[in-house]
Amino acid sequence: MDATPIPFTIAENQTQIITLTKSNARGTGGKLVVTKVNAKDQSVLSGIEFELRDGSNAIMDTKVTDLNGVIEFDGLTYGPYTLVETKAEGFVIEQPETLVSIIQPETQLTIENKENNRSVKLIKYNAGRTQHLQGAVFELRAQTALMDANGNWEFRKVTGLDEAALTTNQQGEIILEDLDINQYQLVEIKAPNGYVLDTTPIPFEITNTQTEAVVVEKTNQAIPVSGGGSSGPYNPGTPNTGVTPDPEKPVTPGPETPGTSVPGTVVTEPTEPEDGTDIPTDEDNGVAPPSPGVSNGDDTAPPIGDTDAPDGDSALAPPAGTDTDGSLANGNAVSQQTGSSASQGMLPKTGEESTLAFTVTGMMLMALGSLGYVYFRRRQLLQR
């Protein structure tokens, strides 16, 4: 700036515009102050290298940010300049060139940098992508400088990584950080419990320009449960709904317990042998078995088992199914005596034992006991 006055005079009868000239020298002594910060938390960054170039793109100076993240370029002539970022270890140079105009004694400029995020995140899903899968184990492989016979790059396992770091967590994720710049593959070597192993490689690349983690995904098919039973491997993607009945083990009913025989009930279901042939009965031969307790018309009937009939007359009860005159009633093998107070003999069911022997034995014991009591009672009376 030149503050020297420029005089001029305006005349009374002036008919033309007075033209004045003034020349200025280009300004000098300008200063550019650059501060470098981390875009994530605005912390200052040291060791970042810059070049300052003039309007003709000639390099004026090269400097590195100090511990305070600051660079100062002094003694600059006013005019346009270009600030070029050339080195940023651990950070990404997203916009290397910045245009600056020096028009005052001091110009300040702040430039942000994002960190180089050399990490990868794998997310494990079920086939429907509705469930994150825990417990899948992977192997990290890095590209080598060798090629196979087919011209494909060879990959080798990256050593030194803990298996826990390569196992999906409860969110179904694996996060690997600070990887070298290279091409990689993640290969599944153990599937989550209840899912099919899929060894198809998952490729990804780590570069010096990425500012966020590389995200890759992997899905697994569930192992089908055969037979529909509840047994099988644990499936993290399937809720537990309780115990499911096993259709392979049907319930077999136990053998039927024979029903209790009720005196006076007539059995009307004949038993057939397994070969389908009929078993001949006494009724088929015209002879009916004796029925205990059934009167044949006399007031007294001989005991069961006594085959000696007095006077040659038969003491057996009339055949079942006949009237007192000997004629058959309705042609049935077994008839019912309705309204009769006499007890009918029962035919036992298949597999059931008859209680007739026990009944006769009990009656005989009772009779013997009564006779013994009468005998001893008379004897006592006679002795008196």
Side-chain angles (χ1 to χ4, degrees):
M1 184 180 68
D2 185 359
T4 304
I6 304 172
F8 65 92
T9 301
I10 300 296
E12 182 177 355
N13 297 321
Q14 178 177 323
T15 59
Q16 293 182 353
I17 298 174
I18 300 175
T19 301
L20 305 174
T21 61
K22 176 70 174 180
S23 61
N24 284 78
R26 177 170 292 201
T28 59
K31 178 189 289 187
L32 174 63
V33 180
V34 180
T35 304
K36 193 68 171 175
V37 297
N38 190 333
K40 182 178 181 180
D41 54 12
Q42 298 298 304
S43 60
V44 297
L45 302 177
S46 61
I48 308 300
E49 183 181 87
F50 285 91
E51 292 178 352
L52 183 63
R53 300 179 182 182
D54 62 14
S56 64
N57 205 32
I59 297 176
M60 302 290 297
D61 200 356
T62 301
K63 290 187 177 182
V64 178
T65 56
D66 59 16
L67 294 177
N68 297 318
V70 176
I71 291 177
E72 292 185 359
F73 295 97
D74 301 310
L76 301 178
T77 301
Y78 289 11
Y81 293 87
T82 302
L83 186 66
V84 181
E85 186 175 358
T86 55
K87 291 182 182 179
E89 188 68 29
F91 289 83
V92 177
I93 303 175
E94 295 182 297
Q95 184 178 346
E97 296 184 358
T98 304
L99 298 177
V100 182
S101 181
I102 303 299
I103 57 174
Q104 56 189 4
E106 182 173 316
T107 301
Q108 294 188 1
L109 181 64
T110 300
I111 300 177
E112 295 182 347
N113 273 69
K114 294 180 180 180
E115 291 185 74
N116 182 201
N117 187 344
R118 301 193 309 273
S119 62
V120 61
K121 177 168 74 173
L122 177 139
I123 306 175
K124 188 75 167 173
Y125 294 101
N126 62 349
R129 296 180 180 269
T130 59
Q131 190 85 14
H132 290 198
L133 303 182
Q134 178 183 4
V137 182
F138 284 81
E139 180 178 274
L140 179 65
R141 300 176 184 176
Q143 179 179 298
T144 67
L146 303 176
M147 286 188 174
D148 60 18
N150 297 323
N152 300 317
W153 292 105
E154 293 185 357
F155 287 80
R156 292 183 181 176
K157 177 182 177 181
V158 177
T159 59
L161 293 176
D162 187 13
E163 183 175 307
L166 292 167
T167 304
T168 54
N169 57 21
Q170 291 182 347
Q171 288 74 39
E173 297 178 353
I174 292 176
I175 299 177
L176 302 176
E177 299 177 333
D178 298 328
L179 298 176
D180 294 334
I181 297 172
N182 201 351
Q183 298 280 348
Y184 292 91
Q185 292 178 348
L186 279 169
V187 180
E188 186 176 47
I189 59 176
K190 180 182 178 182
N193 196 15
Y195 287 82
V196 179
L197 177 67
D198 184 358
T199 59
T200 305
I202 309 169
F204 66 94
E205 182 182 7
I206 298 296
T207 68
N208 60 353
T209 60
Q210 69 184 60
T211 58
E212 296 179 352
V214 177
V215 179
V216 294
E217 298 178 352
K218 182 72 172 180
T219 60
N220 281 79
Q221 293 285 343
I223 298 175
V225 180
S226 61
S230 63
S231 60
Y234 168 69
N235 188 336
T238 305
N240 184 11
T241 58
V243 179
T244 304
D246 190 351
E248 296 182 359
K249 298 180 179 179
V251 178
T252 303
E256 180 181 357
T257 303
T260 305
S261 300
V262 179
T265 303
V266 178
V267 179
T268 59
E269 297 181 359
T271 302
E272 296 183 359
E274 296 182 356
D275 56 1
T277 59
D278 293 336
I279 299 176
T281 61
D282 291 337
E283 289 83 355
D284 298 332
N285 298 327
V287 179
S291 299
V294 179
S295 175
N296 62 352
D298 297 333
D299 294 336
T300 60
I304 295 174
D306 188 0
T307 59
D308 296 332
D311 300 331
D313 295 331
S314 174
L316 295 177
T322 61
D323 293 334
T324 55
D325 58 355
S327 61
L328 291 176
N330 299 328
N332 294 331
V334 180
S335 64
Q336 298 181 357
Q337 289 184 346
T338 58
S340 174
S341 61
S343 299
Q344 294 285 351
M346 292 193 313
L347 296 178
K349 295 182 179 180
T350 302
E352 181 182 13
E353 296 182 359
S354 174
T355 59
L356 179 61
F358 296 100
T359 303
V360 173
T361 302
M363 294 176 63
M364 293 178 65
L365 291 175
M366 292 176 62
L368 290 175
S370 299
L371 291 175
Y373 174 78
V374 172
Y375 171 76
F376 286 105
R377 184 65 177 170
R378 288 183 177 181
R379 190 172 183 180
Q380 289 178 356
L381 292 175
L382 291 176
Q383 289 177 356
R384 291 180 182 177

